[in-house]
Amino acid sequence: MYSNGKRWMLHAAFCVLACSFVLAQTGSRTSWGGYGALTLNQHSADFRSFPGVPNCCPLFQSGSGTGMAFGALGRLPLSSALRAELRLGYTTLGGTLTRLENTVVSGGIPGQFEHRVDASLSALTLEPMIGIRLAGPLHAYIGTRIGVVSTARFSQKETIIEPLRGTFPNGSRVQNVVTDAAIPNTLPVTVAAVAGVQADLPLNAASTLLLVPEISYAYNPTSVVDQLSWNVHQLRIGASIVWAPSTVPVAEPVQQVRQQEDDQRPRVDTAVVASSKPDDGTAGTEPKSAASLTLTMSVSGVESDGTELSDFVIRTEEFASVMMTPLLNYVFFDEGEASLPSRYSRITSDETSTFREELINSADRLPTYYQVLNIIGSRLRRSSVATITLVGCNADVGIEYGNTDLSMRRALQVRQYLNDVWGIAEGRMILQQRNLPEKAALSKVPGAAQENRRVEIIASDPSILTPIISRDTLRTISPPSVRMRPAVIADHAIARWQIRILQSDVTLKTFSGTGAVPNVLDWHVQQESSTQPRRDAPLDYQLEAEDTEGHRASVRGQLPVRLITVSKKRTESIADKEIDRFSLILFDIRSSELSQANKSVIDLIRPYIRQTSTVTLTGLTDRLGNASQNETLAESRARSVAKSLGVVNIGIIRANGNAATYAPDLPEGRLYTRTVDVIVETPVQP
C-alpha cells in the first residue's frame, strides 16, 4: 500500500501533466526529440535483509551505482518564459550496497566480514515537467518522474575478509549466497521529484534543431521494497536533440526607410522597420491572430577606451609579422594515469612527412603547445645525433604518493609515441623516474599537484627545444568592437531571435537566443580572429525575430569595410610597419628571475629591435594568490625582460597581474600565463 504522501505525489504528477497540455493549446509550436544521459544512482537504505532471505548484515545504509537513461520527449510552449515538457523513457537504477562488519571470531581473534548486495533495477519512466527560462538559452525545470519497475533482481553474499584463515559454519569463507534472484515484495511504481538545468543551443541558422545539454537530480521518497527503507536517488548528466519545426509562413518583406548615404559612411541608429501581420483570414492560413511585430536596429563602433562612434568604417589593416612561441618542455598527465591526455595532438607515422611546425604556430599558444611531441619528434628526426632525457614525475600525494612506477610508465608513454610515430630510436631517449619534479610546484599552492604530474623533456642539443618562429600576417581592426542595439515592439512575447553578420554571403558572426532580445550585443571583432572581415566588401547584418504566435519579421542593414593589405600598402606607398610578437615562459611561481631558457629567447628577440622600433612589454601572472601582489610581480617580470633587452628607458611597461589569457584550470594554461609578452613595432619605409 502507498502512504498518503506517495499518493499525493502521484496525483500531483498527473495534475502537472494535464495542466501543461491544457495551457499549451495557446502555443503555436510543438518540439520533439530524444534524450540520453549517464546516471549516478545514490542508494539510501536502512534494512538488514530482504524478506525471507537470510543475511547477517548489521544494517545496510548506503550504496551507489552508475547507469544510463534514454527516451523520447515532446515540448509545448506555454508562454515566452514557460514551457511544458513530457518525457517517456527508460532508466537503470541499480547499484551495490556494502557493509563492513568488524567483529571478534572464535579465540578472541579480530575479524572483519563484508556484506554485499548487487541490485539490478530499471524502470520505464514518464516525466511531466515545467521549464522556466532563466536567461538567454538557459532554462530551469521541475517536475515528477513516475517509474514502472521493469527489472528488480539481486545477488548477495557475505565474505570473511579477516582473519585470513577460518570459515563460516558452512565450511566456506562465503555464506548466504544468492545469485540473480528476484527482489521480493518489490513495489511496482516509483515516484520522484525532479529538478534540473538545461541550455538550448541552436545547431542551425533557423534554430529548428537544438542541442540541449542538461543536468538534473531526482529525489525519490518511495522505497524499492514494501515495508523496507530503501530509496534510490539519481543524478543525471546528458543531452537532448530537439527538433522544433516552424509552422508559419514568412512575414511580409522588409521595408527600407533609410538608404545608405555613400560607400564610406555606415547607416547607424537605423530606423528600418519590419512588421509582420496576418493575411485577411479568408484563406484560413497561419498565423490566425491579428498582431504586429516591429524591429529596429542601431549600430555603433566602440573604441578600446569605450568611446562609441556613430559614423564609422570598419578598417582592417594587415601587417607583416613574426610570431615566436616558446615551447614548454613538459607533458602533463591526469591523476593516477600514464596515458597521454586527449588534448595532446597525435598523428600517424604516415602524416609525419607533411608535418610543418611553422604551419601550426598560433597566437593562442595552447594549440601550438599541444603539438609538442610532434615538434620534438620532427626536430629529433632532422638532428640524428641529438638525444633527449625523459624524466617521469608524479604529484607524490594521494594515489600517486611514492609511486615512481607511475612516473616511469609516463616516461615510457612519451618514448613509445616518439618511437612508434616518428621513428626515434629508443637508444636516443634516456628514461628517468622520480617522485616530485626537481623544481616542483609548492604543495600548498592550488593546482600544484596538476603541475607536478608530468614528464620533463631535456635535450642534449638546445635547438630541439627552441621556440617556434613563423612569419604571419597580423590584422588590426578599428574600431575593435561593434555594438548593436536591437529593439522590438510586439503584441506578443518573442519566442526566438537571431542576428547574422555576413560578408559576400559568408556568415562571419551569429548571435541567437530564445525569449526577449537583449538590449545590447557587442561583437569583439579584434579579439575574434575567426570572425574578422577578410575582403574589401561591405558587411550585411540582419536581425530576425519570431513571436510566440508565429509572426516573423526581419530588419537589414550594411556597414562599410576598408581592407588595407600589405601588398596594397607597398603598391600605393602607404606608410607601413612590421609587428613582431614574442613571449617568454618558465618563470617560477612568485619569481621574476629569468631562467637560462629565457635568456636564450632574449638573444633571439634582440635582433628584431631597431632604433626606430617601439617595444611594448606586458608582464602577466595567473590568478593564484593575492591580486595586488600579482600586479606587482607582473610589472617586475616585464622590467626584468626590458633590462635584459636593453630597453629599460624606451620600452613601454605594462602589467596584467591576474590574467586568464589561457585555460586557468589546466597546468599548461597557468604556465603559459606566467609570461612576458614582447611586441616590437618597426616602421617600414614605403
Side-chain angles (χ1 to χ4, degrees):
M1 298 294 292
Y2 288 111
S3 67
N4 290 335
K6 295 171 185 174
R7 286 198 197 95
W8 181 88
M9 289 192 69
L10 279 170
H11 293 160
F14 284 108
C15 286
V16 168
L17 178 62
C19 291
S20 299
F21 274 89
V22 171
L23 290 173
Q25 303 313 305
T26 61
S28 59
R29 294 178 63 153
T30 302
S31 306
W32 306 95
Y35 69 90
L38 298 177
T39 67
L40 174 62
N41 305 320
Q42 300 172 312
H43 291 246
S44 174
D46 189 13
F47 68 90
R48 298 176 182 272
S49 62
F50 295 138
V53 180
N55 196 311
C56 298
C57 180
L59 192 68
F60 287 110
Q61 295 178 302
S62 63
S64 64
T66 57
M68 62 180 179
F70 59 86
L73 64 86
R75 287 180 177 176
L76 295 167
L78 306 180
S79 69
S80 61
L82 292 175
R83 66 189 182 205
E85 185 167 317
L86 180 66
R87 297 186 176 197
L88 181 64
Y90 171 87
T91 187
T92 58
L93 299 163
T96 299
L97 293 84
T98 59
R99 175 66 185 266
L100 290 177
E101 177 187 4
N102 294 315
T103 185
V104 177
V105 300
S106 178
I109 300 173
Q112 188 178 69
F113 301 162
E114 181 190 67
H115 308 272
R116 179 187 179 103
V117 170
D118 292 297
S120 177
L121 299 168
S122 65
L124 300 175
T125 58
L126 181 70
E127 301 176 43
M129 296 183 292
I130 294 292
I132 305 166
R133 191 176 71 84
L134 300 177
L138 196 64
H139 289 72
Y141 61 91
I142 56 174
T144 304
R145 181 178 300 158
I146 305 165
V148 177
V149 176
S150 58
T151 303
R153 304 189 69 81
F154 80 105
S155 298
Q156 76 168 33
K157 63 179 179 179
E158 297 173 277
T159 306
I160 299 175
I161 306 300
E162 292 179 356
L164 298 179
R165 294 184 178 181
T167 64
F168 286 115
N170 63 0
S172 172
R173 292 181 63 81
V174 179
Q175 69 173 7
N176 293 332
V177 176
V178 177
T179 302
D180 194 28
I183 299 176
N185 297 351
T186 304
L187 291 174
V189 177
T190 68
V191 181
V194 181
V197 177
Q198 56 187 202
D200 291 354
L201 306 179
L203 293 178
N204 59 2
S207 297
T208 56
L209 187 64
L210 305 174
L211 172 66
V212 188
E214 61 185 38
I215 183 170
S216 67
Y217 187 80
Y219 177 81
N220 187 351
T222 59
S223 181
V224 177
V225 176
D226 192 24
Q227 304 302 318
L228 290 185
S229 179
W230 179 16
N231 311 99
V232 183
H233 315 300
Q234 189 179 76
L235 176 69
R236 283 187 186 179
I237 300 175
S240 306
I241 296 292
V242 177
W243 171 246
S246 176
T247 59
V248 297
V250 178
E252 297 177 5
V254 174
Q255 303 173 9
Q256 302 283 355
V257 301
R258 176 181 171 187
Q259 300 298 320
Q260 187 169 344
E261 295 178 358
D262 55 64
D263 291 339
Q264 294 302 316
R265 297 179 67 81
R267 184 178 65 239
V268 294
D269 295 319
T270 317
V272 181
V273 178
S275 297
S276 173
K277 296 183 179 181
D279 52 31
D280 59 10
T282 58
T285 58
E286 294 285 354
K288 297 180 180 180
S289 60
S292 175
L293 174 59
T294 302
L295 310 179
T296 63
M297 175 94 107
S298 68
V299 181
S300 60
V302 183
E303 297 282 21
S304 299
D305 61 2
T307 302
E308 290 197 39
L309 308 173
S310 57
D311 291 331
F312 68 101
V313 175
I314 297 180
R315 178 188 171 100
T316 301
E317 186 170 1
E318 293 182 349
F319 299 94
S321 175
V322 168
M323 181 168 62
M324 186 186 74
T325 301
L327 189 62
L328 180 62
N329 61 322
Y330 301 156
V331 178
F332 295 98
F333 290 80
D334 296 332
E335 184 178 11
E337 295 293 328
S339 58
L340 281 175
S342 59
R343 61 186 185 272
Y344 287 94
S345 178
R346 281 168 279 191
I347 61 178
T348 65
S349 57
D350 292 337
E351 294 171 321
T352 59
S353 60
T354 58
F355 178 81
R356 299 290 184 273
E357 65 180 57
E358 64 273 11
L359 300 180
I360 53 93
N361 202 5
S362 168
D364 179 2
R365 294 187 174 94
L366 288 190
T368 306
Y369 160 72
Y370 290 137
Q371 297 275 0
V372 59
L373 293 181
N374 296 320
I375 294 169
I376 291 174
S378 175
R379 292 175 176 181
L380 285 172
R381 180 181 282 182
R382 293 197 304 267
S383 175
S384 59
V385 296
T387 63
I388 59 173
T389 300
L390 304 174
V391 184
C393 307
N394 63 63
D396 204 28
V397 294
I399 61 174
E400 296 195 4
Y401 179 75
N403 194 346
T404 54
D405 176 65
L406 175 63
S407 303
M408 177 56 72
R409 286 189 284 116
R410 287 171 173 170
L412 284 167
Q413 181 78 7
V414 173
R415 186 182 72 173
Q416 181 180 346
Y417 180 84
L418 293 173
N419 177 255
D420 292 348
V421 175
W422 287 96
I424 309 304
E426 292 186 356
R428 297 176 60 193
M429 295 179 284
I430 303 166
L431 302 183
Q432 294 182 3
Q433 64 190 46
R434 55 183 300 143
N435 285 317
L436 289 173
E438 182 178 356
K439 290 187 176 181
L442 299 176
S443 59
K444 294 183 180 179
V445 175
Q450 279 186 311
E451 296 181 19
N452 293 333
R453 296 194 293 260
R454 69 196 191 207
V455 169
E456 298 180 348
I457 304 173
I458 304 168
S460 64
D461 182 348
S463 66
I464 302 299
L465 299 175
T466 55
I468 304 101
I469 299 177
S470 61
R471 293 197 171 272
D472 192 14
T473 299
L474 176 67
R475 293 174 181 84
T476 63
I477 311 294
S478 179
S481 298
V482 174
R483 179 162 294 163
M484 290 157 283
R485 287 188 171 87
V488 179
I489 301 175
D491 292 342
H492 299 282
I494 297 300
R496 55 188 50 82
W497 58 271
Q498 178 178 262
I499 295 174
R500 285 199 304 158
I501 302 168
L502 307 94
Q503 187 178 47
S504 302
D505 295 327
V506 176
T507 300
L508 300 182
K509 180 70 176 180
T510 301
F511 297 91
S512 62
T514 57
V517 182
N519 295 326
V520 177
L521 289 164
D522 284 345
W523 174 27
H524 300 294
V525 194
Q526 181 67 64
Q527 295 180 16
E528 302 174 24
S529 59
S530 62
T531 71
Q532 292 173 357
R534 301 296 174 95
R535 301 178 181 179
D536 201 359
L539 298 180
D540 296 300
Y541 61 83
Q542 177 174 328
L543 166 64
E544 298 176 317
E546 179 181 344
D547 66 20
T548 54
E549 288 292 299
H551 300 90
R552 291 180 177 178
S554 64
V555 56
R556 297 180 177 89
Q558 199 171 76
L559 296 172
V561 171
R562 186 182 180 196
L563 177 62
I564 306 173
T565 63
V566 172
S567 60
K568 183 177 182 179
K569 285 187 284 188
R570 292 174 181 173
T571 302
E572 300 179 8
S573 297
I574 301 173
D576 195 11
K577 60 183 176 182
E578 292 181 353
I579 301 177
D580 303 320
R581 296 162 289 169
F582 309 94
S583 181
L584 297 85
I585 58 171
L586 292 181
F587 285 94
D588 291 336
I589 295 179
R590 318 310 309 164
S591 173
S592 60
E593 183 178 350
L594 289 173
S595 65
Q596 186 58 48
N598 277 333
K599 290 177 182 177
S600 300
V601 174
I602 293 291
D603 293 337
L604 293 174
I605 298 174
R606 213 176 265 121
Y608 290 91
I609 301 175
R610 304 177 182 90
Q611 289 185 344
T612 56
S613 299
T614 300
V615 183
T616 303
L617 304 99
T618 305
L620 299 96
T621 71
D622 56 32
R623 293 186 169 184
L624 302 180
N626 180 273
S628 176
Q629 292 176 355
N630 285 345
E631 198 74 13
T632 301
L633 175 62
E635 181 178 345
S636 177
R637 285 175 174 170
R639 292 193 179 279
S640 177
V641 174
K643 181 179 178 181
S644 186
L645 284 172
V647 295
V648 173
N649 297 324
I650 63 172
I652 302 171
I653 305 295
R654 294 176 178 169
N656 187 353
N658 292 276
T661 311
Y662 307 107
D665 296 330
L666 295 172
E668 60 269 23
R670 292 193 293 273
L671 265 67
Y672 268 99
T673 309
R674 296 169 196 160
T675 188
V676 172
D677 286 335
V678 181
I679 298 178
V680 180
E681 300 184 26
T682 305
V684 176
Q685 295 301 321

